Amino acid sequence: MRKKIVAGNWKCNTTLQAGVELAKEVSNVVVEKGDKDVVVVLGTPFTHITKVVDTVDNARIGVASQNCAAEAKGAFTGEVSAEMVKSTGAEYVILGHSERREYYGETSEILNKKLALTLENGLTPIFCCGEALETREAEKQNEWVKAQLDETVFQLSADEFKKVVIAYEPIWAIGTGVTASSAQAQEMLAYIRSIIAEKFGQEIADATSILYGGSCNAKNANELFGQPDIDGGLIGGASLKAEDFIQIINAY
Ligand code: PEP
C-alpha cells in the first residue's frame, strides 16, 4: 500500500523560535491523536532543520529541506548540500517547486543534479511539477507535466524512482486561494500515475505516492484526499498555523 503523506512547506517564513513552536504543537497533536498511517513532513527553512528534528517525535514526523545544492561540496558560497541536509537528521528534500523554477532559474538539468545528490545521500525527494494558468487554459497541462517528468524523474532507474514522491502543484493554485477542483486534481494525478506505469510498470506506479498541492486547506482537504489517486498534500500557507495543518492531517 502506498504511503499517505501530508507535507508542509513553510517557504521563507517563521523565525527559528516560531518555527520550533509550530513544530512542537504539530508534533504533540500528531503523537496524541494523529492517524498512524499518515506520514507527516515539515518542510522548514535550512536554519531550522536541526532544532525541528530535535523537537518533533521523529517516529511520527519527518523533516524536509526546501532545496539543496546542485553540487556535492566545495566553493559554492551560500549553498547547502544534500549531504549537509542528511547530516541534520532530515529525511526529505522538496525539489522542483515552481517558485524555485521561476525565481531561481532551476532547469531540469539543475534538478537532475539535485535529484542525484538527494538520492545518493539517502534522502527522499518530494518532486514538484505543475503547469501555469495559460497552459491549463490551452488544455496542454498533461503534455506540460509529462515533459517535466520525462526530463527529470523519468530519467532515473526504476530502483531510484521508487524512492521519489511526486507533488502535482498547478501554479495557478499555489498561494492564490484558487484550489484545483477535486475532479481536476484527481484527473491529473491519475494521468501522472498512468505515465509512471508506462515508464516503470504498474507495480511501481501503484506504489508511488502522488500529492496534490495548491491552496489545500482545512476546508477542502477532506474532499481532495478522498480521491483515489490523491495520496496526500503539499501544503504551503495552511501549514504555518498548527491548527489548520493538524486539521489537514486529520482530513484523512
Ligand atoms: C506550495 O507552495 O507548495 C503550496 C502548495 O502553497 P499553498 O498551499 O500556499 O498554495
Side-chain angles (χ1 to χ4, degrees):
M1 212 178 66
R2 54 185 179 255
K3 283 186 193 148
K4 299 175 197 168
I5 302 173
V6 178
N9 175 13
W10 294 359
K11 310 192 187 191
C12 187
N13 291 300
T14 73
T15 60
L16 175 60
Q17 293 74 17
V20 168
E21 251 340 281
L22 174 57
K24 205 182 285 173
E25 273 184 70
V26 172
S27 182
N28 287 345
V29 178
V30 167
V31 168
E32 246 180 70
K33 28 186 180 195
D35 178 346
K36 288 206 173 64
D37 289 341
V38 179
V39 176
V40 178
V41 178
L42 302 178
T44 80
F46 286 128
T47 43
H48 302 18
I49 296 178
T50 311
K51 275 236 171 194
V52 170
V53 167
D54 289 347
T55 299
V56 298
D57 182 322
N58 303 120
R60 301 297 301 279
I61 299 202
V63 180
S65 67
Q66 301 168 20
N67 183 27
C68 71
E71 307 296 335
K73 61 157 95 166
F76 302 101
T77 302
E79 288 293 274
V80 177
S81 71
E83 188 183 23
M84 293 172 193
V85 173
K86 177 71 180 180
S87 72
T88 64
E91 294 168 83
Y92 299 84
V93 181
I94 299 170
L95 288 177
H97 193 284
S98 59
E99 288 155 13
R100 296 224 45 97
R101 292 178 192 257
E102 186 178 344
Y103 307 142
Y104 302 97
E106 292 202 354
T107 59
S108 295
E109 197 184 338
I110 293 170
L111 288 170
N112 285 339
K113 289 184 174 186
K114 295 185 176 195
L115 264 173
L117 289 162
T118 297
L119 291 166
E120 269 167 35
N121 282 284
L123 293 157
T124 299
I126 300 178
F127 191 84
C128 305
C129 57
E131 80 288 353
L133 186 60
E134 312 83 82
T135 308
R136 166 80 44 177
E137 284 174 348
E139 296 181 8
K140 297 258 187 286
Q141 65 272 17
N142 287 9
E143 291 93 314
W144 180 272
V145 167
K146 181 171 188 300
Q148 284 185 319
L149 299 179
D150 273 339
E151 289 172 10
T152 55
V153 287
F154 285 2
Q155 301 290 320
L156 298 171
S157 68
D159 277 344
E160 288 168 330
F161 183 81
K162 280 189 208 164
K163 298 173 185 143
V164 175
V165 172
I166 303 287
Y168 167 64
E169 300 206 303
I171 298 169
W172 46 272
I174 296 179
T176 59
V178 178
T179 318
S181 67
S182 53
Q184 283 173 319
Q186 165 57 27
E187 193 179 9
M188 176 56 88
L189 269 58
Y191 172 69
I192 293 174
R193 201 174 303 286
S194 76
I195 57 177
I196 295 172
E198 271 168 32
K199 176 74 193 168
F200 294 112
Q202 195 62 48
E203 201 177 319
I204 291 182
D206 286 341
T208 302
S209 294
I210 312 179
L211 317 183
Y212 167 77
S215 297
C216 182
N217 58 40
K219 290 205 181 90
N220 57 31
N222 185 267
E223 194 186 328
L224 285 162
F225 296 173
Q227 304 303 309
D229 284 287
I230 301 184
D231 304 314
L234 181 55
I235 320 295
S239 70
L240 291 168
K241 271 204 192 146
E243 204 186 312
D244 290 358
F245 190 54
I246 286 159
Q247 277 191 50
I248 296 172
I249 295 166
N250 290 337
Y252 264 113

